[in-house]
């Protein structure tokens, strides 16, 4: 958190320095806003430039990219903005050196001046800010996935081919058992019902008159023992 704040402040300071640099003198008393963007690719000329088509245009784009990177905590966006500022500044220095024959630094207003220093410093500050920022990183995405997983699946499910002790009842069962209540117990088997004709496996004769409801076997009645 502290690194993101510090990196954001450094990157924003670099963006401000880069945007202000075209309004200051760059070479021999000529301000940066007097150089057209097309001059950086076709060669430096003495033609004056409008503000919106001057070297200020790529610097404004870089500043907007820094703001977006700070809001989204994107280190890549901030780093790209720094490279844009440094790239256009170095390209201008190459073209200016070709037009003037050489680049000089003088204290009497001749040669490179403070505007170029501001542009270079702004690009460097953007890169430093990108290095200081931690960004969103994998940790944030990983924490989000873990929160979603905990919200959907409070207990980690074991493989389907293994028997586990499933919480919270701690009763054995397969991993597909997700009910918080114990499984219903099955009544023990006590054999077929003798009064149910569908389960009776032996013939049964009707009871004789007067012996209705006799629990004795009518087919094999008890025999009287022989007299001795």
């Amino acid at each position: 958190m502290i690194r993101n704040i510090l990196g954001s402040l450094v990157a924003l300071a670099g963006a401000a320095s880069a945007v202000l640099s075209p309004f200051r003198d760059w070479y021999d008393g000529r301000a940066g806003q007097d150089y057209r963007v097309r001059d950086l690719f076709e060669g430096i000329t003495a033609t004056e430039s409008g503000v919106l088509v001057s070297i200020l245009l790529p610097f404004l784009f870089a500043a907007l990219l820094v703001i977006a990177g700070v809001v989204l905590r994107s280190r890549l966006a901030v780093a790209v903005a720094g490279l844009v500022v440094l790239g256009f500044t170095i390209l201008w220095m190459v073209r200016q050196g070709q037009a003037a024959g050489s680049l000089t630094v003088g204290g009497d207003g001749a040669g490179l001046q403070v505007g170029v220093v501001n542009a270079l410093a702004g690009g460097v500050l953007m890169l430093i800010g990108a290095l200081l920022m931690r960004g969103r990183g994998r940790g944030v995405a990983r924490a989000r996935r873990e929160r979603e997983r905990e919200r959907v699946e409070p207990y980690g499910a074991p493989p389907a081919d293994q028997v586990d002790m499933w919480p919270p009842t701690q009763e054995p069962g397969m991993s597909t058992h997700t009910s918080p209540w114990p499984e219903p117990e099955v009544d023990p088997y006590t054999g077929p019902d003798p009064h149910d004709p569908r389960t009776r496996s032996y013939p049964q004769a009707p009871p004789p008159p007067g012996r209705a409801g006799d629990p004795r076997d009518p087919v094999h009645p008890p025999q009287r023992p022989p007299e001795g």
Side-chain angles (χ1 to χ4, degrees):
M1 185 65 179
I2 301 300
R3 290 187 57 180
N4 278 330
I5 295 176
L6 182 59
S8 300
L9 293 177
V10 173
L12 291 174
S17 178
V19 171
L20 292 177
S21 64
F23 298 98
R24 311 193 70 174
D25 294 340
W26 278 48
Y27 197 82
D28 285 341
R30 188 177 182 183
Q33 62 181 346
D34 294 334
Y35 294 94
R36 298 179 301 176
V37 175
R38 61 183 298 181
D39 291 345
L40 304 181
F41 302 95
E42 299 177 358
I44 300 297
T45 63
T47 305
E48 297 293 332
S49 173
V51 176
L52 296 181
V53 293
S54 68
I55 199 174
L56 175 65
L57 183 62
F59 290 175
L60 284 176
F61 171 76
L64 293 177
L65 199 58
V66 168
I67 294 175
V70 169
V71 172
L72 300 176
R73 290 189 293 177
S74 174
R75 301 175 60 186
L76 179 61
V78 177
V80 170
L83 293 177
V84 168
V85 172
L86 291 177
F88 274 91
T89 304
I90 294 174
L91 180 60
W92 173 87
M93 295 174 66
V94 173
R95 292 301 187 183
Q96 183 62 44
Q98 293 174 349
S102 63
L103 289 177
T104 60
V105 179
D108 56 351
L112 297 175
Q113 293 182 292
V114 66
V116 181
V117 177
N118 287 346
L120 293 174
V124 172
L125 287 176
M126 292 179 193
L127 293 179
I128 294 176
L131 292 176
L132 292 176
M133 294 173 62
R134 295 182 60 89
R136 299 180 67 86
R138 298 180 179 178
V140 177
R142 187 183 301 109
R144 181 182 302 174
R145 289 194 298 268
E146 290 179 355
R147 288 195 299 267
E148 293 177 355
R149 189 181 300 112
E150 291 177 356
R151 184 165 54 250
V152 175
E153 186 178 347
Y155 301 102
D161 58 346
Q162 296 183 4
V163 178
D164 67 302
M165 301 298 290
W166 191 269
T169 59
Q170 297 296 327
E171 293 188 359
M174 299 301 294
S175 59
T176 56
H177 176 61
T178 57
S179 174
W181 305 104
E183 294 183 353
E185 296 183 358
V186 181
D187 294 336
Y189 178 75
T190 57
D193 186 1
H195 302 287
D196 190 351
R198 293 174 300 176
T199 60
R200 191 167 55 237
S201 58
Y202 54 88
Q204 186 174 6
R211 297 184 60 182
D214 192 348
R216 292 179 297 178
D217 186 0
V219 178
H220 303 86
Q223 301 293 329
R224 180 179 299 178
E227 297 179 359

